[in-house]
Each structure stands twice: as C-alpha cells, then as structure tokens.
C-alpha cells in the first residue's frame, strides 16, 4: 500500500497560528496524538467565529463532529509553533468536511493532516438543518 505524501501549505486556504503547550508532550517526548484533534477543532471553530458564522453560546445552529481522521507524518512537541491550514473539502446540505494540515514552525510540509466532519444541527432539537446561504457563501470561499 502506497501512502500519499504530506500536503504542502498551498493545499489550504486559511491559516491559524497556534502554540503548543508544555502539557501537550507525552511520555515519549512528542505531542500526544489527541492534541492533533484539539488543534483541528480549534482552527476550524476559530475561523467560523472570526467569520461571524458560529456563536458557540447563543447561535441557532451548532456543528457536531460526526467523523474525524488524522495521518501523522512527523513529530511535533513543545515549544513548537503550529500553523493550522484549513479548507473545505466537501460542502453538503447540512454537513461540511474540513481538510486540515498542521505545520511545525516555518515548515512547508504538514507534520499531520486530517479531516473533520461537522453536521450542523438546530441547537435545541439537535436535528440536522440546511446550511444557511450566508454560511454556504463563506464556506465556499475556502473550498478546495
């Protein structure tokens, strides 16, 4: 089985700067694998909030994570600076598949990349809702 190479920064549309923390390192001396998913979640939601799409405390719709995946290519550790690249890989009726690349310091190749699938639901009923046109337009600006 041939493994695809890690993606370059040019594969992503928007970027978030994130800092590793001392607590991110595990007993093996590198960033624990669960931290990668926290960085994915932070980068996506940071962009959604900056664009005025997501109000985590009072918005009518919220995104529930229904699927994730991560491929690890190299190690990262505290005190590395992380840049998370985000793009929309698929825009469905009520779901969005995000592609994420994590880049260490000034490196041009991701040390990890993955996907994060949100299904957007009504905050109260937790039933899927169609993405509003305003969301579709903004999400379309970062589509691959």
């Amino acid at each position: 089985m041939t493994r695809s190479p890690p993606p370059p920064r040019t594969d992503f549309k928007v970027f978030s700067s994130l800092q590793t923390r001392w607590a991110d390192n595990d007993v093996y001396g590198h960033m624990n694998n669960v931290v990668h998913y926290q960085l994915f979640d932070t980068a996506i939601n940071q962009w959604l909030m900056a664009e005025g799409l997501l109000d985590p405390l009072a918005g009518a719709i919220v995104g529930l994570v229904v699927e994730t995946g991560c491929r690890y290519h190299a190690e990262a550790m505290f005190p590395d600076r992380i840049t998370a690249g985000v793009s929309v890989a698929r825009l469905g009726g009520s779901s969005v598949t995000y592609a994420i690349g994590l880049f260490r310091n000034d490196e041009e190749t991701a040390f990890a990349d993955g996907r994060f699938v949100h299904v957007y639901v009504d905050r109260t009923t937790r039933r899927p809702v169609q993405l509003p046109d305003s969301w579709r337009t903004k999400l379309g600006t970062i589509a691959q």
Side-chain angles (χ1 to χ4, degrees), residues 3-4 10-11 13 15-16 24 29 36 41-42 47 60 87 89 96-97 100-101 110 122 126:
R3 183 178 161 122
S4 58
T10 56
D11 281 5
K13 304 290 185 178
F15 296 89
S16 294
D24 294 340
H36 296 72
D41 201 22
T42 298
W47 182 81
S87 290
V96 179
T97 302
I100 307 105
D122 177 274
R126 294 298 207 243

Side-chain angles (χ1 to χ4, degrees), residues 33-99:
N33 60 346
V34 300
V35 176
H36 296 72
Y37 290 100
Q38 293 170 341
L39 295 172
F40 289 176
D41 201 22
T42 298
I44 292 165
N45 288 309
Q46 187 175 45
W47 182 81
L48 290 169
M49 289 186 289
E51 292 298 315
L53 298 177
L54 177 64
D55 178 348
L57 301 177
I61 62 174
V62 295
L64 301 181
V65 176
V66 298
E67 182 180 330
T68 63
C70 184
R71 294 181 320 141
Y72 305 93
H73 305 287
E75 294 178 333
M77 65 187 71
F78 176 83
D80 288 334
R81 290 175 291 105
I82 306 298
T83 301
V86 178
S87 290
V88 169
R90 182 182 175 281
L91 185 55
S94 62
S95 67
V96 179
T97 302
Y98 297 94

